[in-house]
Amino acid sequence: MTISAYFRAALAAGVLSSSAAGAAPIAFQDMLGNPVSLPAPTQRAVTLPMPAGSLLISLDGGAEHLAGMHPSAYGLMKDGLLARMFPATAAVRTDITRSGFVPNVETLLQMQPDLVWQWGHMGDDLLAPLRNAGLPTAALVYGTEDRTREWIRLMGLSLGQEARAQAQLRWRDQVRAEIRAATDAIPASERPGVLYLSRHAPQLRAAGGNTSFEDDITLAGGRNVSASIASGQTVNIEQIMAWAPAVILLNNFEPGLTPETLYRDPLFADIPAVRERRVYKVPLGGYLWDPPSQESPLYWQWLSLLLHPEKFSWPLRDNIARAYGELYGYQPGADEIDAVLRLNMNQGAAGYERFR
């Protein structure tokens, strides 16, 4: 079943919109086990975690109920497709932090949100000011696919959009099952070594073991060459040379980082991924595809096509168009899909012609 079928099924059930939930009170436990009580589906939400703003939009079908979001998250979307899909994001407040994820409590009190989403795994210093100010707060914890699924469930519940949340979760389940049917049996010796370069400057950093990045690579039939290190640990070029990755994935957090950056660097010249031109900038759609998001199933399909084109024949461009219609109510044009897939940036990369 496609994502379209999941959303049609929800619509047929008459429960796709928040109106079906009425104004009934909502109660749940956040990801730290703290009780959250709302008198009705949230109308003015603030999202401090960067991925949460675009996820909320996808669950709500618009930006109407997003009152504030992290400035860096807005920076990622303002020049991209999400801002084009939802011009109302230009009016969303971004002055809600002091630095990093430290909340600007004075501003938030002026805004009077009915729910503030905040990181729950970075220490109580980020939560206590909100709690002490009497602001309704829900904690999110980052990392695994299970945690991402809980984000979707809780945020959908808070908006009265449980059906949209369930449609997203079923889509994730279906895509993962389809990929695993082809990749679970692949032995380690046939899995290409993949390096997700989480930072290039000022120091090289790689995604370690037990991360969402490793889960993505393993799911798609690859082998995370940096599985032995801690997440985001600094590495050097000698270590990367020893790992000898067959594929290198470049993060979206450094806009100036492109495959050409590595191709032009003589230090990387002897690395197999560079020699074979298998360095790829990860796509960017409604949100970055490398961290977990509402668009992860599209990322898994993209990555599986790169690693094992002999096993998959996803019509990825069609899938993007359908998914954006359901997630955002928007039909992207061919040039917009080109931009999502970074066709210009990845031009000349091995196998990338399949995405045209």
Side-chain angles (χ1 to χ4, degrees), residues 28-57:
F28 59 89
Q29 287 189 337
D30 69 13
M31 293 181 70
L32 293 181
N34 301 312
V36 178
S37 297
L38 304 173
T42 183
Q43 300 294 300
R44 291 181 53 77
V46 167
T47 57
L48 284 140
M50 284 177 55
S54 66
L55 175 57
L56 185 143
I57 288 172

Side-chain angles (χ1 to χ4, degrees), residues 193-201 203-207 223-226 228-229 233-250 257 262 265 267-275 279:
V194 181
L195 172 68
Y196 173 76
L197 199 62
S198 57
R199 284 295 185 277
H200 176 260
Q203 294 176 310
L204 296 168
R205 295 182 183 273
R223 173 177 52 82
N224 179 21
V225 297
S226 57
S228 62
I229 69 170
Q233 182 176 320
T234 301
V235 298
N236 54 42
I237 191 65
E238 290 78 12
Q239 180 63 76
I240 295 176
M241 291 176 69
W243 285 331
V247 174
I248 296 177
L249 304 175
L250 301 182
L257 177 61
L262 270 59
D265 190 337
L267 293 176
F268 283 84
D270 291 329
I271 294 170
V274 174
R275 288 201 312 265
V279 180

